């Protein structure tokens, strides 16, 4: 069968920004330009809609809720009802881009449902306690109510995994989480990194760099506090988010908070930075790979999805990073000191680029198309 003739529905949890999950969605739509998009709600600004490839997503009743993009976590009990309201029975192929409830759409026996799983919902599973703490629910009745709701949500989430024929994980870390939460095997296809947008540079400047969404789990505050203890080093931070104003207030003189940067300025910072500092416990983490594409080494938290590309000095035959194993100011300071003491030859900048190229957009497109073709032919051999 001509795969361009397949009737395809792509289900994405929600659309209100352009991040790693949306890059995956963008590539899936490039592979299947005939696909229709389904999402809980659509709040993407007009100037950021290019990744939707001109499509207007089908939405649910949640799209009518004012400020839904800021309130959806408080409406978690409604999300299963909303996602299962989609009627997808006329499609041949369902592709869910899942990190909350997208995989749980109702499908038919003759349909093929492939789930690209960015992660099982972290705040319902292994990161529940940390997420409730960040919401300010440290104790009391309200926390107990949320714990009860999340307990029921976990039961539903695990059972609805039966709607999926094939799981695809975005990292080896997420493969383990899929198995632990759903008891399902998965295929590993890393998310696409557009390495062509980041040029290699071997001659670095003196500053360190970090970039991304300025939200609590990224641990930017720890990075700032580490550089406070190292006033002889300079750090530049790019990005926007809820912590932007706080970081501006606490930043010492050797830390520059740049806010959101245009793509060309961001790539310039990546290219000339002495190293990219990364402290998040990520499912994968695209931005550090973009830094590697520039030949920029990492000072990185070497756990989570980062283990697929962080090759630490002293632990790997070839190194592209100095790693730390604890999210703390002390650990970051120690890693920066080790990085400072390395001879120039300890980290090969060309190897940094070689690492990044393993995660190129072209590799993703080829691997995902091959997976779809293989799984389709298993079910339709003639």
């Amino acid at each position: 069968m001509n795969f361009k003739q397949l009737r395809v529905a792509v289900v994405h949890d929600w659309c209100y920004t352009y991040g790693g999950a949306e890059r995956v969605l963008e590539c899936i739509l490039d592979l299947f330009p005939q696909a229709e998009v389904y999402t809980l709600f659509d709040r993407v600004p007009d100037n950021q809609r290019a990744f939707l490839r001109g499509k207007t997503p089908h939405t649910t009743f949640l799209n009518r809720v004012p400020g839904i993009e800021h309130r959806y976590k408080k409406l978690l009990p409604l999300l299963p009802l909303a996602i299962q309201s989609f009627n997808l029975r006329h499609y041949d192929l369902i592709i869910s881009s899942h990190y909350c409830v997208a995989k749980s759409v109702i499908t038919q026996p003759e349909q093929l449902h492939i789930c690209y799983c960015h992660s099982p919902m972290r705040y319902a599973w292994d990161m529940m306690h940390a997420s409730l703490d960040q919401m300010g629910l440290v104790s009391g009745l309200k926390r107990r109510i949320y714990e009860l709701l999340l307990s029921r949500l976990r039961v539903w989430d695990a059972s609805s995994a039966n709607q999926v024929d094939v799981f695809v994980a975005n990292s080896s870390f997420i493969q383990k989480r899929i198995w632990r939460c759903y008891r399902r095997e998965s295929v590993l296809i890393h998310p696409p990194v557009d390495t062509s947008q980041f040029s290699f540079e071997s001659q670095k400047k003196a500053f360190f760099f970090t970039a991304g969404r300025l939200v609590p789990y990224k641990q930017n505050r720890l990075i700032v506090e580490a550089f406070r203890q190292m006033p002889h080093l300079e750090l530049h931070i790019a990005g926007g988010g809820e912590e932007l104003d706080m970081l501006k207030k606490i930043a010492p003189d050797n830390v520059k908070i740049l806010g959101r940067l245009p793509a060309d300025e961001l790539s310039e910072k990546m290219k000339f930075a002495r190293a990219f500092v990364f402290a998040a416990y990520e499912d994968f983490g695209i931005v550090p790979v973009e830094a590697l594409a520039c030949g920029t080494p990492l000072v990185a938290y070497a756990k989570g999805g980062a283990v697929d590309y962080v090759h630490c000095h002293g632990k790997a035959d070839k190194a592209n990073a100095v790693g730390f194993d604890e999210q703390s100011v002390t650990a970051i300071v120690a890693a920066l000191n080790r990085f400072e003491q390395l001879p120039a030859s300890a980290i090969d900048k060309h190897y940094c680029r070689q690492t990044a190229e393993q995660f190129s957009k072209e590799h993703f497109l080829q691997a995902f198309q091959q997976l779809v073709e293989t799984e389709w032919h298993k079910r339709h051999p003639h």
Side-chain angles (χ1 to χ4, degrees):
M1 183 176 187
N2 184 342
F3 285 89
K4 300 302 181 184
Q5 295 177 352
L6 286 177
R7 295 169 296 178
V8 182
V10 180
V11 185
H12 191 69
D13 281 298
W14 45 70
C15 294
Y16 71 92
T17 188
Y18 182 67
E22 287 69 38
R23 298 185 197 201
V24 171
L25 173 60
E26 183 177 36
C27 283
I28 291 172
L29 293 177
D30 286 340
L31 282 174
F32 297 98
Q34 77 275 29
E36 294 189 57
V37 178
Y38 289 78
T39 190
L40 292 174
F41 59 86
D42 177 8
R43 290 291 190 276
V44 182
D46 290 342
N47 63 349
Q48 296 179 21
R49 299 186 70 84
F51 73 92
L52 289 168
R53 297 302 191 243
K55 299 179 184 297
T56 300
H58 301 271
T59 58
T60 70
F61 60 86
L62 293 175
N63 199 52
R64 298 193 291 271
V65 177
I68 182 64
E69 65 273 26
H70 306 297
R71 302 171 59 190
Y72 62 88
K73 285 188 180 180
K74 296 180 179 179
L75 299 175
L76 279 176
L78 294 177
L79 301 190
L81 175 64
I83 202 68
Q84 293 186 338
S85 69
F86 287 132
N87 181 358
L88 306 179
R89 69 181 188 273
H90 298 300
Y91 295 96
D92 304 306
L93 172 64
I94 314 296
I95 302 173
S96 54
S97 169
H98 168 82
Y99 48 92
C100 186
V101 296
K103 66 149 177 49
S104 306
V105 289
I106 295 174
T107 57
Q108 305 298 313
E110 66 276 9
Q111 293 174 318
L112 172 61
H113 179 186
I114 296 176
C115 172
Y116 189 92
C117 186
H118 308 280
S119 176
M121 58 178 86
R122 293 171 293 183
Y123 38 82
W125 291 94
D126 52 309
M127 296 183 70
M128 181 190 77
H129 296 293
S131 297
L132 291 177
D133 290 347
Q134 287 179 3
M135 291 171 65
L137 303 174
V138 178
S139 61
L141 179 60
K142 196 170 182 180
R143 181 178 176 112
R144 299 294 170 258
I145 291 172
Y146 265 88
E147 287 175 344
L148 176 61
L149 291 173
L150 290 172
S151 175
R152 293 181 176 180
L153 190 60
R154 284 194 296 276
V155 173
W156 172 83
D157 188 38
S159 65
S160 67
N162 292 323
Q163 295 288 343
V164 176
D165 297 305
V166 182
F167 273 101
V168 182
N170 71 347
S171 67
S172 58
F173 171 62
I174 294 303
Q175 281 189 305
K176 295 174 184 176
R177 189 180 270 167
I178 290 170
W179 174 254
R180 187 174 64 250
C181 296
Y182 304 145
R183 285 299 185 261
R184 294 286 300 274
E185 300 287 352
S186 57
V187 178
L188 176 59
I189 301 178
H190 292 108
V193 181
D194 194 353
T195 53
S196 65
Q197 297 298 309
F198 296 89
S199 57
F200 176 83
E201 176 58 60
S202 60
Q203 300 302 312
K204 304 299 184 181
K205 297 184 180 180
F207 67 91
F208 291 78
F209 186 52
T210 191
R213 288 182 295 132
L214 303 182
V215 294
Y217 89 91
K218 297 284 190 178
Q219 304 296 344
N220 288 292
R221 184 168 193 154
L222 294 182
I223 298 174
V224 170
E225 294 301 329
F227 275 83
R228 185 189 304 280
Q229 295 187 21
M230 307 186 78
H232 60 291
L233 300 181
E234 183 177 350
L235 172 69
H236 297 180
I237 299 179
E242 63 190 77
E243 290 195 329
L244 177 61
D245 291 338
M246 179 272 291
L247 292 173
K248 286 181 176 179
K249 288 178 182 177
I250 69 168
D253 291 341
N254 61 321
V255 175
K256 296 182 180 180
I257 311 297
L258 306 174
R260 285 192 175 91
L261 295 179
D264 57 342
E265 292 183 32
L266 181 65
S267 63
E268 284 294 295
K269 288 289 184 183
M270 291 279 204
K271 186 165 65 172
F272 288 107
R274 186 176 174 190
F276 185 90
V277 186
F278 179 65
Y281 188 49
E282 280 281 18
D283 304 328
F284 178 71
I286 287 178
V287 179
V289 182
E290 293 175 340
L292 289 173
C294 298
T296 300
L298 307 177
V299 176
Y301 183 54
K303 292 188 178 180
V307 301
D308 288 359
Y309 53 82
V310 172
H311 306 154
C312 296
H313 180 263
K315 296 182 179 180
D317 293 336
K318 283 190 173 182
N320 57 24
V322 169
F324 52 95
D325 297 326
E326 179 184 286
Q327 289 175 305
S328 70
V329 173
T330 301
I332 296 172
V333 169
L336 288 168
N337 277 322
R338 292 200 307 275
F339 183 85
E340 286 269 278
Q341 294 164 11
L342 289 179
S345 59
I347 294 180
D348 185 344
K349 296 180 177 63
H350 292 280
Y351 180 66
C352 293
R353 176 73 189 189
Q354 290 170 15
T355 304
E357 287 172 347
Q358 298 172 28
F359 305 95
S360 69
K361 182 177 178 180
E362 292 72 24
H363 177 80
F364 174 88
L365 292 170
Q366 180 181 4
F368 197 83
Q369 180 172 340
Q370 183 175 357
L371 173 71
V372 173
E373 290 178 356
T374 299
E375 295 299 329
W376 181 264
H377 287 306
K378 281 182 184 178
R379 291 158 178 78
H380 305 85
H382 301 298

